[in-house]
Amino acid sequence: MDGAKPFAEKPTKDLVLYLQVRHFAFPEDGTYEEWNNLNQEYLEKVVYKNNYIKGYYPNEHYYGADRTEFVEAFYVDSLADLDKMLKNLNELSKEAWSDEAARKEMGKKMGKYYTGTHSDFIYTYVSELSK
C-alpha cells in the first residue's frame, strides 16, 4: 500500500513493532480520493517527520469477508521510543495544524472514514530472523 516510510537500511538490531488496527467506515459523503489526500497530508506533516519512527508500513485487508481492516505498522528502537513516538505524533499534529479549530476540522474529516474501533499490539521484530 502507498504511504510507507521504509527503513533507511535493513535493521541489524531488534526493534519494537507497534501495530494499530482500525476499521474503515464508508461514509456516503466521502470518497477514496478525499481519504487518500487527507491521509497523505497527515503522513507528510506528521508521520514522515517523526524521527522515532524507523519504518512505517500501512496495510489494508484487500480481499475477503472484512475489507474494512486497516493495519499500520510502526517500527521503533525501544519501548521508551514508542512512548516518545506517540507523544511526538501529537506534537507534530499541533505544529502542522497550529490553530485548534483547524486541528479539530482535520480530525473530523479523517474521523468520518473510521468506525472508531481499533486495537493496539506490540511485538518484537527480531532482526536475525529477517530474510
Side-chain angles (χ1 to χ4, degrees), residues 25-79:
F26 298 99
E28 290 183 19
D29 64 338
T31 65
Y32 178 76
E33 182 180 11
E34 180 185 40
W35 176 83
N36 196 44
N37 290 338
L38 292 167
N39 187 56
Q40 190 62 39
E41 181 180 1
Y42 181 79
L43 291 172
E44 289 172 6
K45 291 182 175 181
V46 179
V47 173
Y48 299 159
K49 290 183 176 184
N50 192 316
N51 293 326
Y52 294 103
I53 299 172
K54 302 304 176 194
Y56 167 77
Y57 297 90
N59 301 273
E60 64 181 289
H61 195 154
Y62 195 69
Y63 290 106
D66 184 2
R67 292 199 52 206
T68 68
E69 204 171 58
F70 180 50
V71 180
E72 296 175 282
F74 298 84
Y75 293 86
V76 296
D77 282 329
S78 65
L79 284 174

Side-chain angles (χ1 to χ4, degrees), residues 68-116:
T68 68
E69 204 171 58
F70 180 50
V71 180
E72 296 175 282
F74 298 84
Y75 293 86
V76 296
D77 282 329
S78 65
L79 284 174
D81 280 357
L82 174 59
D83 187 48
K84 293 173 187 174
M85 178 206 77
L86 294 169
K87 287 178 182 172
N88 194 236
L89 288 174
N90 190 38
E91 292 166 5
L92 289 166
S93 291
K94 287 180 180 177
E95 182 181 303
W97 299 278
S98 56
D99 178 51
E100 187 175 345
R103 218 172 22 258
K104 284 183 179 182
E105 182 63 24
M106 178 61 167
K108 183 178 176 182
K109 286 180 185 178
M110 285 292 289
K112 76 179 182 181
Y113 288 97
Y114 301 100
T115 64

